[in-house]
């Protein structure tokens, strides 16, 4: 299923959407490029996520995880075994081919942990907003006339 999208109208009507359009184009190419290894993306909390990849047959030493700004790259490459030529398979269903899986990450999403267990590689991610972007409570001060009344005492407030 190949669908072509023309993003040129976005460029002519909106400023600064080039990164967003690039993400859409990357997502469309990624889906068309294959589905190995299969994976799940799960939301584990309001600002936490987990990517789980089925990597049966790959040891932790066969896998590489690289976190870059706004990009997570996972590579798998089977180490050449010394006994590879000595083994004779009648059927080989476990994929042994190398792979590279890329995930575009939103701003401020960082990798927290990676665990390989039971043929599944699980990568935990969390969105960490910088303090400057977090909502903050603004104290409400008294106006100048209210401050004068406060300094004169309760009788001045009653007269006002």
């Amino acid at each position: 299923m190949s669908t072509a999208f023309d993003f040129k109208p976005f460029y002519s009507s909106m400023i600064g959407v080039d990164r967003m359009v690039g993400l859409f184009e990357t997502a469309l190419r990624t889906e068309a490029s294959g589905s190995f290894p299969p994976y799940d993306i799960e939301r584990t909390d309001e600002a936490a996520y987990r990517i789980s990849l089925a990597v049966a047959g790959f040891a932790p030493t066969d896998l590489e995880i690289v976190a870059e700004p706004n990009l997570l790259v996972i590579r798998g490459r089977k180490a050449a075994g010394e006994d590879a030529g000595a083994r004779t398979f009648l059927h080989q269903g476990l994929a042994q081919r190398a792979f590279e899986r890329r995930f575009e990450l939103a701003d401020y999403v960082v990798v927290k942990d990676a665990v390989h267990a039971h043929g599944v590689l699980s990568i935990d991610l969390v969105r960490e907003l910088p303090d400057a972007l977090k909502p903050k409570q603004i104290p409400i001060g008294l106006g100048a006339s209210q401050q004068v009344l406060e300094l004169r005492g309760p009788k001045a407030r009653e007269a006002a």
Side-chain angles (χ1 to χ4, degrees):
M1 177 177 157
S2 176
T3 305
F5 290 99
D6 183 15
F7 291 106
K8 289 179 187 170
F10 289 112
Y11 289 119
S12 65
S13 63
M14 298 170 67
I15 305 300
V17 299
D18 48 336
R19 175 164 157 64
M20 182 176 56
V21 170
L23 292 173
F24 284 130
E25 289 174 339
T26 300
L28 292 171
R29 275 194 312 272
T30 302
E31 286 302 314
S33 68
S35 60
F36 182 78
Y39 65 93
D40 291 336
I41 300 176
E42 151 186 26
R43 186 178 201 160
T44 58
D45 196 3
E46 187 173 321
Y49 307 89
R50 177 174 293 133
I51 298 173
S52 301
L53 285 91
V55 290
F58 286 87
T61 55
D62 298 332
L63 301 169
E64 176 186 32
I65 302 170
V66 178
E68 300 176 18
N70 299 98
L71 181 66
L72 175 65
V73 180
I74 304 159
R75 293 182 188 96
R77 182 164 279 108
K78 284 296 277 184
E82 298 157 7
D83 65 332
R87 299 172 72 184
T88 304
F89 290 97
L90 299 179
H91 172 76
Q92 189 172 7
L94 293 178
Q96 303 293 316
R97 66 184 179 268
F99 68 87
E100 178 175 290
R101 180 64 80 175
R102 294 173 168 264
F103 296 93
E104 295 283 340
L105 302 178
D107 292 338
Y108 313 114
V109 173
V110 295
V111 176
K112 281 299 187 186
D113 193 23
V115 176
H116 182 274
H118 307 292
V120 176
L121 176 65
S122 297
I123 302 168
D124 291 324
L125 305 112
V126 66
R127 180 187 308 263
E128 291 182 345
L129 288 177
D131 289 337
L133 295 178
K134 291 180 182 175
K136 55 185 165 192
Q137 187 74 27
I138 307 299
I140 301 171
L142 299 176
S145 62
Q146 185 67 27
Q147 288 177 348
V148 170
L149 290 176
E150 288 292 323
L151 290 175
R152 291 187 182 162
K155 290 185 181 179
R157 279 181 283 193
E158 292 172 8

